[in-house]
Amino acid sequence: SNCLRPVGVSRKSPPTMDTTDAPQIIEHVKKSLTYTPFCTRWIPSSARFVVLGQNPKATGRMQIYELSGGTAKCIHECEKPAGFKCGTFGASTLQDRHLATGDFAGKLNIWDLTRTEKPLYNVQAHAACVNVIDGCGGQNIGYGACELVTGSRDGCVRVWDPRVKEAVLSLEPDDDTARDCWAVAFGNSYNDDERCIAAGYDNGDVKLFDLRTNSVRWDTNVGNGVVSLEFDRKDIEMNKLAVTTLESRFRLFDMRTFHETEGYSWKAVKAHKSTVWLARHLPQNRDVWMTCGGNGGLNVYRYSYPLKRQAKDKDGLVKGVVGDAELLNSRMVSTQPIVSFNWSPDKEGLCVMASLDQAVRVCIVTKLD
């Protein structure tokens, strides 16, 4: 009994010595859910996160959890007519912390999380499910206006200004060649004029669209359906682009140097022995990122730059040189795909993720410096 144990002596077994310098992935909280989660996002400047998903009866579920005392407590939840697929705080100020969501009915909504009865902004963004959303200009990150970009099953990519109800820009496929858009990301937003969108499609196409010149800057095909893509930073000149795909691999592109015929240099990395669902760069260090696998695994990588970032080809044209991706550590956290992963913008190494075993997990990744 407790009264027989000497004061200050724990009943727990002594901690094992950690002799490695690698980052450790530690599960802090696991919450089982009664619905399928598709998106998890930290609420900026708080110890709270939001979980978005779909109920068994195909309605939308939004829950807000707060971390306290080693657990996560649900402090608010609501149900909406259509299942939620994606969400972002990227186009909101730190004062407002409004959440933009895309749903299975093709709607784009913006929510005040203190009053979720009805959205602040509501528009029929697409003819089919909004697969993916990204935001830029908010959270005191980057330059330019607050904008959202959505990608849909209807093959369209659209840019939205939350102050108006029509799309600022719509990239629409030919009717007979519409491909499912699975991934979108903002980047290159390093002043008030420059901004790019990268979009990835189910047939392996990757397109880079320049919002300043209103033109496609570059397109390529990576051979497998593009499940996610992300610039290492939105608010700097394009540096690196991580593109994750089906067939257990991802590609790193060096986006600083464009070659006239070969485009941007890249390197392929095999990972997870299954679909690489996501690559997410650490907000506090753009050269560290996590990949999430269809096998329920997490891999944390560090990028090392080459000695020279440019080289000349046999014709004397300059092309980029890609560095190396070093696998620092890996851990299996689930038996099902990890479909959403979000680093805390406020606390380095804190992350929240959703997996298709109907669970949300908060993990802490140590030694990231």
Side-chain angles (χ1 to χ4, degrees), residues 1-251:
S1 71
N2 283 346
C3 60
L4 297 177
R5 197 167 67 246
V7 175
V9 176
S10 169
R11 179 178 274 157
K12 294 177 182 173
S13 57
T16 52
M17 275 294 286
D18 175 20
T19 55
T20 68
D21 293 327
Q24 304 298 305
I25 302 167
I26 301 160
E27 188 175 293
H28 178 55
V29 174
K30 177 188 172 184
K31 283 283 181 189
S32 292
L33 308 171
T34 57
Y35 60 97
T36 304
F38 290 111
C39 182
T40 52
R41 292 288 178 265
W42 289 103
I43 300 174
S45 306
S46 79
R48 298 188 299 277
F49 59 88
V50 62
V51 184
L52 301 170
Q54 187 176 42
N55 288 314
K57 56 185 178 180
T59 55
R61 188 81 162 269
M62 178 192 295
Q63 290 187 312
I64 298 172
Y65 285 88
E66 185 166 44
L67 288 183
S68 64
T71 185
K73 185 174 150 197
C74 181
I75 57 172
H76 177 76
E77 63 180 307
C78 60
E79 188 176 358
K80 298 298 170 190
F84 291 108
K85 190 70 168 67
C86 51
T88 181
F89 288 99
S92 175
T93 65
L94 283 177
Q95 292 73 36
D96 292 334
R97 296 186 287 190
H98 292 157
L99 176 68
T101 62
D103 67 24
F104 280 87
K107 283 193 167 64
L108 166 62
N109 293 318
I110 298 177
W111 307 90
D112 179 346
L113 294 182
T114 62
R115 290 187 293 275
T116 56
E117 299 80 38
K118 66 178 197 173
L120 301 168
Y121 177 94
N122 171 274
V123 66
Q124 185 67 46
H126 293 274
C129 173
V130 180
N131 287 327
V132 63
I133 190 169
D134 194 22
C136 197
Q139 297 189 19
N140 301 354
I141 296 171
Y143 300 86
C146 292
E147 286 181 324
L148 296 160
V149 59
T150 54
S152 168
R153 196 175 289 164
D154 63 12
C156 299
V157 174
R158 294 194 171 118
V159 179
W160 306 87
D161 181 331
R163 296 168 296 188
V164 294
K165 289 289 184 92
E166 287 82 36
V168 178
L169 174 76
S170 187
L171 306 173
E172 304 193 6
D174 301 329
D175 288 338
D176 55 337
T177 59
R179 304 301 312 203
D180 204 332
C181 177
W182 283 350
V184 292
F186 279 114
N188 209 43
S189 185
Y190 62 91
N191 64 30
D192 285 341
D193 299 319
E194 296 286 345
R195 191 172 283 177
C196 284
I197 300 164
Y201 299 84
D202 66 347
N203 63 342
D205 282 348
V206 176
K207 298 180 191 294
L208 183 68
F209 195 84
D210 190 321
L211 293 180
R212 183 177 62 81
T213 60
N214 229 24
S215 62
V216 176
R217 262 173 87 151
W218 167 70
D219 65 87
T220 189
N221 187 287
V222 296
N224 290 109
V226 176
V227 196
S228 88
L229 40 75
E230 186 181 68
F231 291 97
D232 57 353
R233 282 286 177 278
K234 295 177 187 178
D235 57 335
I236 59 170
E237 284 190 65
M238 286 188 299
N239 185 46
K240 300 193 298 292
L241 177 69
V243 177
T244 75
T245 67
L246 306 174
E247 301 286 338
S248 67
R249 58 175 56 107
F250 65 92
R251 284 194 193 195

Side-chain angles (χ1 to χ4, degrees), residues 296-311:
L298 296 174
N299 285 6
V300 58
Y301 291 89
R302 181 168 54 214
Y303 187 78
S304 49
Y305 288 93
L307 292 174
K308 291 184 177 176
R309 293 197 66 177
Q310 291 183 337

